[in-house]
Amino acid sequence: MRALCWHGKGDIRCDSVDDPTIEDDGDIIIKVTSCAICGSDLHLMDGYMPTMESGDVLGHETMGEVIEVGRSVKKFQVGDRVVVPFNMACGQCYFCKKQLFSLCDRSNRNAEMARKVMGHSPSGLFGYSHMLGGYSGGQAEFLRVPFADVGPIKVPDGLPDDQVLFLSDIFPTGYMAAENAQIEPGDTVAIWGCGPVGQFAIQSAWMLGAGRVIAIDTVPERLEMARSHGKAETLDFKDVNVYDALMEMTDGRGPDSCIDCVGTEADAGASADSMLDKAKAALMLGTDRPHVLREMIFSCRKGGTLSIPGVYVGMVDHLPFGPAMNKALTFKMGQTHTHRYLEPLLQKVVEGEIDPSFVITHHATLEEGPDMYKAFRDKTDGCVKVVMRP
């Protein structure tokens, strides 16, 4: 089959690789009908995620048609259309029973590797390093899906792929980010990053009762999408001092909740500290670039909440923890417990409350994938979200 594979920093290729096969009775194989490039895939492309190996198949936003079913699978049969969550869950361990699916104890087959780095292992992820299981990803013609009775969700035939594909990751991620922000009716919510997750965080903040949403970015197309589709007020961080602007907009109090939809690769041009972070990363003296975290700590109102769906991979320097403690801020973060949100968010799509396809700016083939990775990373050609059809 054809698949997008990682071959080193900045080197993504469309290769021919072996087709997946059933490895466990609980597996299914799907023929991929749609897959997408995620912002967190760029951390792999840019070399920030350790334990990647040359030839690893990328991708964790995937859906398709079931073509083979393991002997113990009860939930699916050949021909079903399914969306696959980006993370895996066994459904039986302590964390799965608490619906903390991204913390599953059994799905990361390289858990010991992760434990040495993090203290404990999160769940396995598709196409996202050997430390998180070494599973082949879904930017490919076919995908093996373990724990099939627990993970994927069957979708109605009447809904096109573009409307349901993002249940795999970015719609639940944006929704959980807003949920973690502990929004009360009428609250002011500030969201850093207007990429795809940020756009869904904006939509979700309104769903959860926000009275005001302020979106922060510098890419014109993203800011326009946040304004026109998200009905958010916007700030271009290259035109204003974000802290000063937020204080002026909130009468000096600050937003009630702040959401970091950027993660480890904050724009190096955002400020002096973000330029220093990038220099440290280039010299292998640091990994993450936590400019957004620093800015949120200073900007959030006293007693407010910071929600962090943006991916971080290592240690962060110069985090103003003293101000966070003295302001009595709450931090809520983590990989998305995707499985928890599949049914309720699918229902919102079915009922017409939201059409998630609004974020798509580019459709492409797998063969065009390497060029699409570059366009997405470099934010050229108005690229906000890429969907590929194998």
Side-chain angles (χ1 to χ4, degrees), residues 203-253:
Q203 298 291 322
S204 301
W206 291 124
M207 290 177 187
L208 294 173
R212 191 178 186 190
V213 177
I214 303 168
I216 302 153
D217 206 300
T218 194
V219 180
E221 295 83 7
R222 294 182 175 190
L223 289 169
E224 175 56 30
M225 187 178 287
R227 281 191 297 268
S228 61
H229 198 91
K231 311 303 180 188
E233 300 167 69
T234 59
L235 295 175
D236 185 332
F237 62 74
K238 291 193 175 174
D239 289 343
V240 300
N241 178 290
V242 172
Y243 170 83
D244 289 345
L246 289 173
M247 292 310 105
E248 183 177 346
M249 296 169 79
T250 60
D251 296 325
R253 189 174 69 183

Side-chain angles (χ1 to χ4, degrees), residues 258 292-301 306 319-325 327 329 331:
C258 297
V292 169
L293 279 180
R294 298 183 189 117
E295 197 160 70
M296 291 204 314
I297 288 170
F298 282 109
S299 299
C300 192
R301 71 157 168 84
L306 306 189
L319 193 70
F321 202 77
M325 180 270 173
K327 291 176 67 175
L329 300 180
F331 286 67

